[in-house]
Coordinates of all heavy atoms in Angstrom, one line a residue:
M854 N 116.3 117.2 67.2 CA 115.2 117.7 66.5 C 115.4 117.5 65.0 O 116.4 117.7 64.4 CB 114.9 119.2 66.7 CG 113.8 119.7 65.9 SD 113.2 121.4 66.4 CE 112.3 121.0 67.9
F855 N 114.3 117.1 64.3 CA 114.3 116.8 62.9 C 114.4 118.2 62.2 O 113.5 119.0 62.4 CB 113.1 116.0 62.5 CG 113.1 115.4 61.1 CD1 114.1 114.5 60.8 CD2 112.2 115.8 60.2 CE1 114.1 114.0 59.5 CE2 112.2 115.3 58.9 CZ 113.1 114.4 58.6
A856 N 115.4 118.4 61.3 CA 115.6 119.7 60.7 C 114.4 120.2 60.0 O 114.1 121.4 60.0 CB 116.8 119.6 59.8
S857 N 113.6 119.4 59.3 CA 112.4 119.8 58.6 C 111.4 120.5 59.4 O 110.6 121.3 58.9 CB 111.8 118.7 57.8 OG 112.8 118.2 56.8
A858 N 111.3 120.2 60.7 CA 110.3 120.7 61.6 C 110.5 122.2 61.8 O 109.5 122.9 62.2 CB 110.3 120.0 62.9
T859 N 111.6 122.8 61.5 CA 111.9 124.2 61.6 C 112.2 124.9 60.3 O 112.4 126.1 60.3 CB 113.0 124.5 62.7 OG1 114.2 123.8 62.2 CG2 112.6 124.0 64.0
D860 N 112.3 124.1 59.2 CA 112.6 124.7 57.9 C 111.5 125.5 57.4 O 110.4 124.9 57.2 CB 113.0 123.5 57.0 CG 113.5 124.0 55.6 OD1 112.9 125.0 55.1 OD2 114.3 123.4 55.1
P861 N 111.6 126.8 57.1 CA 110.5 127.6 56.7 C 109.9 127.1 55.4 O 108.7 127.2 55.2 CB 111.2 129.0 56.5 CG 112.4 129.0 57.3 CD 112.9 127.5 57.4
D862 N 110.7 126.6 54.5 CA 110.2 126.0 53.2 C 109.3 124.8 53.4 O 108.2 124.7 52.8 CB 111.3 125.7 52.3 CG 112.1 126.9 51.8 OD1 111.5 128.0 51.7 OD2 113.3 126.7 51.5
V863 N 109.7 124.0 54.4 CA 108.9 122.8 54.7 C 107.6 123.2 55.3 O 106.5 122.8 55.0 CB 109.7 121.8 55.6 CG1 108.8 120.7 56.1 CG2 110.9 121.2 54.9
L864 N 107.7 124.1 56.3 CA 106.5 124.6 57.0 C 105.5 125.3 56.0 O 104.3 125.2 56.1 CB 106.9 125.6 58.1 CG 107.7 124.9 59.2 CD1 108.1 125.9 60.3 CD2 106.9 123.8 59.9
A865 N 106.1 126.1 55.1 CA 105.2 126.7 54.0 C 104.5 125.7 53.2 O 103.3 125.9 52.8 CB 106.0 127.7 53.2
E866 N 105.2 124.6 52.8 CA 104.6 123.6 52.0 C 103.5 122.9 52.7 O 102.5 122.5 52.2 CB 105.7 122.6 51.5 CG 105.2 121.6 50.5 CD 104.7 122.2 49.2 OE1 105.2 123.3 48.8 OE2 103.8 121.6 48.6
I867 N 103.7 122.6 54.0 CA 102.7 122.0 54.8 C 101.5 122.9 54.9 O 100.3 122.4 54.7 CB 103.2 121.7 56.3 CG1 104.3 120.6 56.2 CG2 102.1 121.3 57.2 CD1 105.0 120.4 57.5
E868 N 101.7 124.2 55.1 CA 100.6 125.2 55.1 C 99.8 125.2 53.8 O 98.6 125.2 53.8 CB 101.1 126.6 55.4 CG 100.1 127.6 55.6 CD 99.1 127.4 56.7 OE1 99.5 126.9 57.8 OE2 97.9 127.7 56.5
R869 N 100.5 125.1 52.7 CA 99.8 125.0 51.4 C 99.0 123.8 51.3 O 97.9 123.8 50.7 CB 100.9 125.1 50.2 CG 101.3 126.5 50.0 CD 102.1 126.6 48.7 NE 103.5 126.0 48.8 CZ 104.5 126.5 49.3 NH1 104.5 127.8 49.7 NH2 105.7 125.9 49.3
G870 N 99.5 122.7 51.7 CA 98.8 121.4 51.7 C 97.6 121.4 52.5 O 96.5 120.9 52.1
V871 N 97.7 122.0 53.7 CA 96.5 122.1 54.6 C 95.5 123.0 54.0 O 94.3 122.7 54.0 CB 96.9 122.6 56.0 CG1 95.8 123.0 56.9 CG2 97.8 121.6 56.7
A872 N 95.9 124.1 53.4 CA 95.0 125.1 52.8 C 94.3 124.4 51.6 O 93.0 124.6 51.4 CB 95.7 126.3 52.3
A873 N 95.0 123.6 50.8 CA 94.4 122.9 49.7 C 93.4 121.9 50.2 O 92.3 121.7 49.6 CB 95.5 122.2 48.8
A874 N 93.7 121.1 51.2 CA 92.8 120.2 51.8 C 91.6 120.8 52.4 O 90.4 120.4 52.1 CB 93.5 119.3 52.9
N875 N 91.8 121.9 53.1 CA 90.6 122.7 53.7 C 89.7 123.2 52.6 O 88.5 123.3 52.8 CB 91.1 123.8 54.5 CG 91.6 123.3 55.9 OD1 91.3 122.2 56.3 ND2 92.3 124.2 56.6
G876 N 90.2 123.5 51.4 CA 89.4 124.0 50.3 C 88.4 122.9 49.8 O 87.4 123.2 49.1
K877 N 88.7 121.7 50.1 CA 87.8 120.5 49.7 C 86.9 120.0 50.8 O 86.2 119.1 50.6 CB 88.7 119.4 49.1 CG 89.5 119.8 47.9 CD 90.5 118.7 47.5 CE 91.3 119.2 46.4 NZ 92.3 118.2 46.0
L878 N 87.1 120.6 52.0 CA 86.3 120.1 53.1 C 85.3 121.1 53.6 O 85.4 122.3 53.4 CB 87.3 119.8 54.3 CG 88.4 118.7 54.0 CD1 89.4 118.8 55.2 CD2 87.7 117.4 53.9
S879 N 84.2 120.6 54.2 CA 83.2 121.5 54.8 C 83.9 122.2 56.0 O 84.9 121.7 56.5 CB 82.0 120.7 55.2 OG 82.3 119.9 56.4
R880 N 83.3 123.3 56.4 CA 83.9 124.1 57.5 C 84.2 123.2 58.8 O 85.2 123.4 59.4 CB 82.9 125.2 57.8 CG 83.5 126.2 58.8 CD 82.7 127.5 58.9 NE 83.2 128.4 59.8 CZ 82.8 128.5 61.1 NH1 81.8 127.8 61.5 NH2 83.3 129.3 61.9
V881 N 83.2 122.4 59.1 CA 83.4 121.6 60.4 C 84.5 120.5 60.2 O 85.0 120.0 61.2 CB 82.1 121.0 60.9 CG1 81.1 122.0 61.2 CG2 81.5 120.0 59.8
E882 N 84.8 120.1 59.0 CA 85.8 119.1 58.8 C 87.2 119.7 58.6 O 88.2 118.9 58.7 CB 85.5 118.3 57.5 CG 84.2 117.5 57.6 CD 83.9 116.9 56.2 OE1 83.9 117.6 55.2 OE2 83.6 115.7 56.2
Q883 N 87.4 121.0 58.5 CA 88.6 121.6 58.2 C 89.6 121.5 59.3 O 89.2 121.5 60.5 CB 88.4 123.1 57.8 CG 87.7 123.2 56.4 CD 87.5 124.6 56.1 OE1 87.8 125.6 56.8 NE2 87.0 124.8 54.8
I884 N 90.9 121.5 59.0 CA 92.0 121.5 59.9 C 92.1 123.0 60.4 O 92.3 123.9 59.7 CB 93.3 121.1 59.3 CG1 93.2 119.6 58.8 CG2 94.5 121.2 60.3 CD1 94.3 119.2 57.9
K885 N 91.9 123.1 61.7 CA 92.0 124.5 62.3 C 93.4 124.7 63.0 O 93.9 125.8 62.9 CB 90.9 124.7 63.4 CG 89.5 124.3 63.0 CD 89.0 125.3 62.0 CE 87.5 125.2 61.7 NZ 87.1 124.2 60.9
K886 N 93.9 123.7 63.6 CA 95.2 123.8 64.3 C 96.0 122.5 64.0 O 95.4 121.4 63.9 CB 95.0 123.9 65.8 CG 94.4 125.2 66.3 CD 94.3 125.2 67.8 CE 93.6 126.4 68.3 NZ 93.6 126.4 69.8
Y887 N 97.3 122.6 64.0 CA 98.1 121.5 63.9 C 99.5 121.8 64.4 O 99.9 123.0 64.6 CB 98.2 120.9 62.4 CG 98.8 121.9 61.4 CD1 100.2 121.9 61.2 CD2 98.0 122.8 60.8 CE1 100.7 122.8 60.3 CE2 98.6 123.7 59.9 CZ 99.9 123.7 59.6 OH 100.5 124.6 58.7
V888 N 100.3 120.8 64.7 CA 101.6 121.0 65.2 C 102.6 120.1 64.4 O 102.3 118.9 64.1 CB 101.7 120.5 66.7 CG1 103.1 120.6 67.2 CG2 100.8 121.4 67.6
V889 N 103.7 120.6 64.0 CA 104.7 119.9 63.3 C 105.7 119.4 64.4 O 106.4 120.3 65.0 CB 105.4 120.7 62.2 CG1 106.5 119.9 61.5 CG2 104.4 121.2 61.2
L890 N 105.8 118.1 64.6 CA 106.7 117.6 65.6 C 108.1 117.5 65.1 O 108.4 117.4 63.9 CB 106.2 116.2 66.0 CG 104.8 116.1 66.6 CD1 104.4 114.7 66.8 CD2 104.7 116.9 67.9
G891 N 109.0 117.6 66.0 CA 110.5 117.6 65.7 C 111.1 116.3 65.7 O 112.3 116.1 66.0
E892 N 110.3 115.2 65.3 CA 110.9 113.9 65.3 C 110.2 113.1 64.2 O 109.1 113.4 63.8 CB 110.8 113.2 66.7 CG 109.4 113.1 67.2 CD 109.4 112.6 68.6 OE1 109.5 113.4 69.5 OE2 109.3 111.3 68.8
V893 N 110.9 112.0 63.8 CA 110.3 111.1 62.8 C 109.8 109.9 63.5 O 110.4 109.3 64.4 CB 111.4 110.7 61.8 CG1 110.9 109.7 60.8 CG2 112.0 111.9 61.1
W894 N 108.6 109.5 63.1 CA 108.0 108.3 63.6 C 108.3 107.1 62.6 O 107.8 107.1 61.5 CB 106.5 108.4 63.8 CG 106.1 109.4 64.8 CD1 106.9 110.1 65.7 CD2 104.7 109.7 65.2 NE1 106.1 110.9 66.5 CE2 104.8 110.6 66.2 CE3 103.5 109.3 64.7 CZ2 103.6 111.2 66.8 CZ3 102.4 109.9 65.3 CH2 102.4 110.8 66.3
E895 N 109.0 106.2 63.0 CA 109.4 105.0 62.2 C 108.4 103.9 62.5 O 108.1 103.6 63.6 CB 110.8 104.6 62.5 CG 111.9 105.6 62.2 CD 112.1 105.8 60.7 OE1 111.8 104.9 59.9 OE2 112.7 106.8 60.4
P896 N 108.0 103.1 61.4 CA 107.2 101.9 61.6 C 107.9 101.0 62.6 O 109.1 100.8 62.5 CB 107.0 101.3 60.2 CG 107.2 102.5 59.3 CD 108.2 103.4 60.0
G897 N 107.2 100.4 63.5 CA 107.7 99.5 64.5 C 108.3 100.2 65.7 O 108.8 99.6 66.6
G898 N 108.2 101.6 65.7 CA 108.7 102.4 66.9 C 107.7 102.5 67.9 O 106.7 101.8 68.0
D899 N 107.9 103.5 68.8 CA 106.9 103.7 69.9 C 105.6 104.2 69.5 O 104.6 103.9 70.1 CB 107.5 104.8 70.9 CG 108.7 104.2 71.6 OD1 108.9 103.0 71.7 OD2 109.5 105.1 72.1
C900 N 105.5 105.0 68.4 CA 104.3 105.6 68.0 C 103.6 105.0 66.8 O 102.4 105.2 66.6 CB 104.5 107.1 67.7 SG 105.1 108.0 69.1
L901 N 104.2 104.1 66.1 CA 103.6 103.4 64.9 C 103.9 101.9 65.0 O 105.0 101.5 65.4 CB 104.2 103.9 63.6 CG 104.0 105.3 63.2 CD1 104.8 105.6 61.9 CD2 102.5 105.6 63.0
T902 N 102.9 101.1 64.6 CA 103.1 99.7 64.5 C 104.0 99.4 63.3 O 104.3 100.3 62.5 CB 101.8 98.9 64.3 OG1 101.2 99.3 63.1 CG2 100.8 99.3 65.4
A903 N 104.4 98.2 63.1 CA 105.2 97.8 62.0 C 104.5 98.1 60.7 O 105.2 98.3 59.6 CB 105.6 96.3 62.1
T904 N 103.2 98.1 60.7 CA 102.4 98.3 59.4 C 102.0 99.8 59.3 O 101.3 100.2 58.4 CB 101.2 97.4 59.4 OG1 100.4 97.7 60.5 CG2 101.5 96.0 59.3
G905 N 102.5 100.7 60.2 CA 102.3 102.1 60.1 C 101.0 102.6 60.7 O 100.6 103.8 60.5
K906 N 100.4 101.8 61.5 CA 99.2 102.2 62.3 C 99.6 103.0 63.5 O 100.6 102.7 64.2 CB 98.3 101.0 62.6 CG 97.7 100.4 61.4 CD 96.9 99.2 61.7 CE 96.4 98.6 60.4 NZ 96.4 97.1 60.5
L907 N 98.8 104.0 63.9 CA 99.1 104.7 65.1 C 98.9 103.9 66.4 O 98.0 103.1 66.5 CB 98.1 105.9 65.2 CG 98.2 107.0 64.1 CD1 97.2 108.0 64.3 CD2 99.6 107.6 64.1
R908 N 99.8 104.1 67.3 CA 99.7 103.5 68.7 C 99.2 104.7 69.5 O 100.0 105.5 70.0 CB 101.1 103.0 69.1 CG 101.6 101.9 68.3 CD 102.8 101.3 68.8 NE 103.3 100.2 68.0 CZ 104.1 99.3 68.3 NH1 104.7 99.3 69.5 NH2 104.5 98.4 67.4
R909 N 97.9 104.7 69.7 CA 97.3 105.9 70.4 C 97.7 106.1 71.8 O 97.9 107.2 72.2 CB 95.8 105.8 70.3 CG 95.4 105.8 68.8 CD 93.9 105.7 68.6 NE 93.5 105.5 67.3 CZ 93.5 106.4 66.3 NH1 94.0 107.6 66.5 NH2 93.2 106.1 65.1
A910 N 97.8 105.1 72.6 CA 98.2 105.2 74.0 C 99.6 105.9 74.2 O 99.8 106.8 74.9 CB 98.1 103.9 74.8
P911 N 100.6 105.3 73.5 CA 101.9 106.0 73.6 C 102.0 107.4 73.1 O 102.6 108.3 73.7 CB 102.9 105.1 72.8 CG 102.2 103.8 72.7 CD 100.7 104.1 72.7
I912 N 101.2 107.7 72.1 CA 101.2 109.0 71.5 C 100.5 110.0 72.6 O 101.0 111.0 72.8 CB 100.4 109.1 70.2 CG1 101.2 108.4 69.1 CG2 100.1 110.5 69.8 CD1 100.4 108.1 67.8
A913 N 99.4 109.5 73.1 CA 98.7 110.3 74.1 C 99.5 110.6 75.3 O 99.5 111.7 75.8 CB 97.4 109.6 74.5
S914 N 100.3 109.6 75.8 CA 101.1 109.9 77.0 C 102.3 110.7 76.7 O 102.7 111.6 77.4 CB 101.5 108.5 77.6 OG 102.4 107.8 76.8
R915 N 103.0 110.5 75.5 CA 104.2 111.2 75.2 C 103.9 112.7 74.8 O 104.7 113.6 75.1 CB 104.9 110.6 74.0 CG 106.1 111.3 73.6 CD 106.8 110.7 72.4 NE 107.4 109.4 72.7 CZ 108.1 108.7 71.9 NH1 108.2 109.0 70.6 NH2 108.6 107.6 72.3
Y916 N 102.8 112.9 74.2 CA 102.5 114.3 73.7 C 101.3 114.9 74.5 O 100.6 115.8 73.9 CB 102.2 114.2 72.2 CG 103.3 113.7 71.4 CD1 103.4 112.4 70.9 CD2 104.4 114.6 71.2 CE1 104.5 112.0 70.2 CE2 105.5 114.1 70.5 CZ 105.5 112.8 70.0 OH 106.6 112.4 69.3
T917 N 101.1 114.6 75.7 CA 100.0 115.1 76.5 C 100.0 116.6 76.5 O 99.0 117.3 76.2 CB 100.0 114.6 77.9 OG1 99.9 113.2 77.9 CG2 98.9 115.2 78.8
D918 N 101.1 117.2 76.8 CA 101.2 118.7 76.9 C 100.9 119.3 75.5 O 100.2 120.3 75.4 CB 102.6 119.1 77.4 CG 102.8 118.8 78.8 OD1 101.8 118.5 79.5 OD2 104.0 118.7 79.3
T919 N 101.5 118.8 74.5 CA 101.3 119.3 73.1 C 99.8 119.2 72.7 O 99.2 120.2 72.2 CB 102.1 118.5 72.1 OG1 103.5 118.6 72.5 CG2 101.9 119.1 70.7
I920 N 99.2 118.1 73.0 CA 97.8 117.9 72.7 C 96.9 118.9 73.5 O 96.0 119.5 72.9 CB 97.3 116.4 73.0 CG1 98.1 115.5 72.0 CG2 95.8 116.3 72.9 CD1 98.0 114.0 72.3
E921 N 97.2 119.0 74.7 CA 96.4 119.9 75.6 C 96.5 121.4 75.1 O 95.5 122.1 75.0 CB 96.8 119.8 77.0 CG 96.4 118.5 77.7 CD 94.9 118.3 77.8 OE1 94.2 119.3 78.0 OE2 94.5 117.2 77.5
T922 N 97.7 121.8 74.7 CA 98.0 123.1 74.3 C 97.3 123.4 72.9 O 96.7 124.5 72.7 CB 99.5 123.4 74.1 OG1 100.1 123.1 75.3 CG2 99.8 124.8 73.6
T923 N 97.2 122.4 72.1 CA 96.6 122.5 70.8 C 95.1 122.7 70.9 O 94.5 123.4 70.1 CB 96.9 121.3 69.9 OG1 98.3 121.1 69.8 CG2 96.3 121.4 68.5
Y924 N 94.5 122.0 71.8 CA 93.0 122.1 71.9 C 92.5 123.0 73.0 O 91.3 123.0 73.3 CB 92.5 120.7 72.2 CG 92.6 119.8 70.9 CD1 93.7 118.9 70.8 CD2 91.8 120.0 69.9 CE1 93.8 118.1 69.7 CE2 91.9 119.2 68.7 CZ 92.9 118.3 68.6 OH 93.1 117.6 67.5
T925 N 93.3 123.9 73.5 CA 92.8 124.9 74.5 C 93.0 126.3 73.9 O 93.6 126.6 72.9 CB 93.6 124.8 75.8 OG1 95.0 125.0 75.6 CG2 93.3 123.5 76.5

């Protein structure tokens, strides 16, 4: 597991960033739920292309349970 995913200071900073972003968005655009994953996605890996674009199919299959839990 990536240490930052459980570091309280890192999680607090993420929360501040989400709150700041939500302050600039309409209610329907705001981030309501999110999950900090315990791994780093490297460009060219399973979840990102070499140019940093998301590989949606591998993400969906690898994180099915996390995604389902987040949206229920």
Side-chain angles (χ1 to χ4, degrees):
M854 175 169 286
F855 193 61
S857 295
T859 57
D860 184 323
D862 294 331
V863 172
L864 296 175
E866 187 62 30
I867 292 169
E868 183 63 35
R869 282 191 288 277
V871 169
N875 280 346
K877 298 175 184 177
L878 299 170
S879 71
R880 186 169 179 261
V881 297
E882 296 173 311
Q883 291 179 353
I884 299 167
K885 308 290 192 282
K886 294 181 181 181
Y887 62 91
V888 175
V889 179
L890 300 173
E892 58 188 87
V893 177
W894 292 359
E895 297 288 340
D899 292 340
C900 296
L901 295 176
T902 67
T904 58
K906 295 179 180 139
L907 295 175
R908 295 184 183 199
R909 296 182 193 284
I912 292 169
S914 65
R915 180 182 288 179
Y916 298 103
T917 299
D918 293 341
T919 302
I920 294 167
E921 290 297 320
T922 303
T923 303
Y924 289 102
T925 57

